[in-house]
Amino acid sequence: FMKTYHYVLVFVLLVILGSWYFRPSKDIVKNNDPVVVEVDLEKFPQKYESEEYKFVINLPKDFTVTKDYSNFISPEKVFTGVKFVIPEELHKGTNLSSDSHIAIERTKISPDLCGAELFFATSESTGFEDINGRKFTKAISLGAGVGNRYDETVYATPVGEYCYAIRYFIHYSVIENYSPGTVREFDISMLKGIFDSIRNNIVIRD
């Protein structure tokens, strides 16, 4: 009888411990709950709102806004939107080109056809990312010209009747083409980190 009692006691303790261990945590965010990014206005003091393209974005200071921006990929792929060109302090004295930017583009298309690859001629898909409660597809494209390199990343998501894209366009020259000591190599990880922070505070309205 005592042995049976011990077995029952152990079983009850295991059930209690298991229910405690696997209980839902208050710290876990449900998939349906939007994650809102708090914007540090000291780091992102430049606010821009587009009534036409229905988004709000906060930027670091001195990014140049280009309205009525058009990105020609091919005769069948011409995307319009707004781009934000990096300030001089990010490229001066480096091999980074002054035309590098982050842009918001869109095209009218069925939601089930919306994908990051749509915004390239050719690209490599790298999966999905959740940003502010929206699921984005992600694709990259690496290009090269004479002494130049082009590193592009696009995050795309359907919103209403449109497919929106957040594009990173990073253009730079091959550092080996410069005389030693004349130009320093830019920090691509830092630049992508800045673009990530900008991307993370974009709000697209339905």
Side-chain angles (χ1 to χ4, degrees), residues 109-125:
I109 196 169
S110 173
D112 60 328
L113 297 178
C114 178
E117 301 95 331
L118 174 68
F119 292 84
F120 288 114
T122 58
S123 65
E124 176 186 346
S125 176

Side-chain angles (χ1 to χ4, degrees), residues 123-136:
S123 65
E124 176 186 346
S125 176
T126 62
F128 297 87
E129 287 198 25
D130 287 322
I131 305 168
N132 277 349
R134 292 189 184 277
K135 179 169 282 189
F136 285 74

Side-chain angles (χ1 to χ4, degrees), residues 4 10 21 23 27 40 48 54 75 85-87 101 106 109 124 130 134-135 144 147 152 154-155 158 173 185 187 202:
T4 301
V10 170
Y21 182 80
R23 77 190 191 286
D27 296 330
D40 185 342
Y48 178 83
K54 297 184 178 179
V85 182
I86 61 171
H101 61 265
R106 75 177 187 187
I109 196 169
E124 176 186 346
D130 287 322
R134 292 189 184 277
K135 179 169 282 189
E152 293 187 73
V154 163
Y155 298 86
S173 303
E185 189 169 11
D187 188 336
I202 293 172

Side-chain angles (χ1 to χ4, degrees), residues 82-97:
V82 183
K83 74 175 178 180
F84 307 92
V85 182
I86 61 171
E88 184 181 26
E89 65 184 58
L90 288 180
H91 65 79
K92 187 176 182 180
T94 76
N95 62 322
L96 178 63
S97 175

Side-chain angles (χ1 to χ4, degrees), residues 48-72:
Y48 178 83
E49 182 170 2
S50 173
E51 288 297 328
E52 179 180 0
Y53 292 98
K54 297 184 178 179
F55 71 85
V56 179
I57 188 173
N58 282 76
L59 303 149
K61 65 178 182 179
D62 298 330
F63 270 70
T64 301
V65 179
T66 303
K67 302 177 184 178
D68 302 322
Y69 152 76
S70 180
N71 188 4
F72 181 90

